[in-house]
Amino acid sequence: MARPKPAVFDKQKIVAENRRARFDYAVESTYEAGLALTGTEVKSLRFGEGSIAESYADIQDGAVWLINANIPEFSHGNRFNHEAKRPRKLLLHEREINKLHGAVAREGMTLVPLTVYFNARGRAKVEIALAKGRKAHDKREHIKEREWKKEAGRLLRERG
């Protein structure tokens, strides 16, 4: 019997975060994916190095790939070191891949990585979001809405 997936993923140690993603994109749903890494990449991530600021995910030949993510070379990696910006395979179930592929193909959505982290079992994971790009006016509306929520919270604290 399969366990239900948690609404919030178990993030023990966050390595990299794409903070602009939630501002630039309207996030529809999030998925947790494993990362296929080499040994030196894992060591680099454990040292807290890595960036997903300008990266994205793409579906090619029935597999999901993390493209343009920067995991710098490991300092003691010698000849077995990895390439810093190589495409890395994301590990997802086939039905999840099919669902993502359908949304990207039909509805014009994109796959954006939100965070890279290690879970409780020590596995490197990526939280990817199925998102729709925001236009400039949508971003302004988002800022207004966020500011109003802050102000409303302040007013409630003062009066209550």
Side-chain angles (χ1 to χ4, degrees), residues 8-140:
V8 177
F9 305 119
D10 185 24
K11 299 178 187 177
Q12 291 294 97
K13 180 186 175 194
I14 294 178
V15 178
E17 197 170 10
N18 189 352
R19 298 188 60 174
R20 279 202 61 88
R22 291 193 190 272
F23 180 69
D24 290 338
Y25 298 94
V27 174
E28 298 287 319
S29 59
T30 59
Y31 295 88
E32 181 182 47
L35 259 172
L37 300 171
T38 63
T40 53
E41 287 173 325
V42 174
K43 288 180 179 184
S44 235
L45 284 177
R46 287 211 188 276
F47 275 110
E49 298 173 347
S51 167
I52 56 168
E54 59 280 335
S55 64
Y56 62 97
D58 192 22
I59 302 171
Q60 298 167 352
D61 305 326
V64 183
W65 296 86
L66 183 63
I67 297 169
N68 213 19
N70 184 24
I71 299 175
E73 288 188 347
F74 183 56
S75 57
H76 300 8
N78 66 31
R79 69 172 194 242
F80 299 111
N81 234 330
H82 62 275
E83 220 179 290
K85 285 204 171 194
R86 76 176 183 89
R88 292 164 180 92
K89 190 173 187 177
L90 296 180
L91 309 172
L92 288 158
H93 290 286
E94 194 169 341
R95 71 174 178 275
E96 288 177 323
I97 294 172
N98 291 339
K99 190 185 292 183
L100 293 173
H101 182 68
V104 168
R106 277 194 307 277
E107 300 159 30
M109 302 186 97
T110 54
L111 293 174
V112 183
L114 299 176
T115 54
V116 175
Y117 58 94
F118 287 100
N119 67 2
R121 296 177 60 195
R123 304 270 196 254
K125 301 284 184 178
V126 178
E127 182 181 9
I128 58 172
L130 190 59
K132 200 170 217 122
R134 281 198 177 120
K135 304 278 189 279
H137 61 87
D138 293 337
K139 290 179 188 177
R140 285 193 291 272

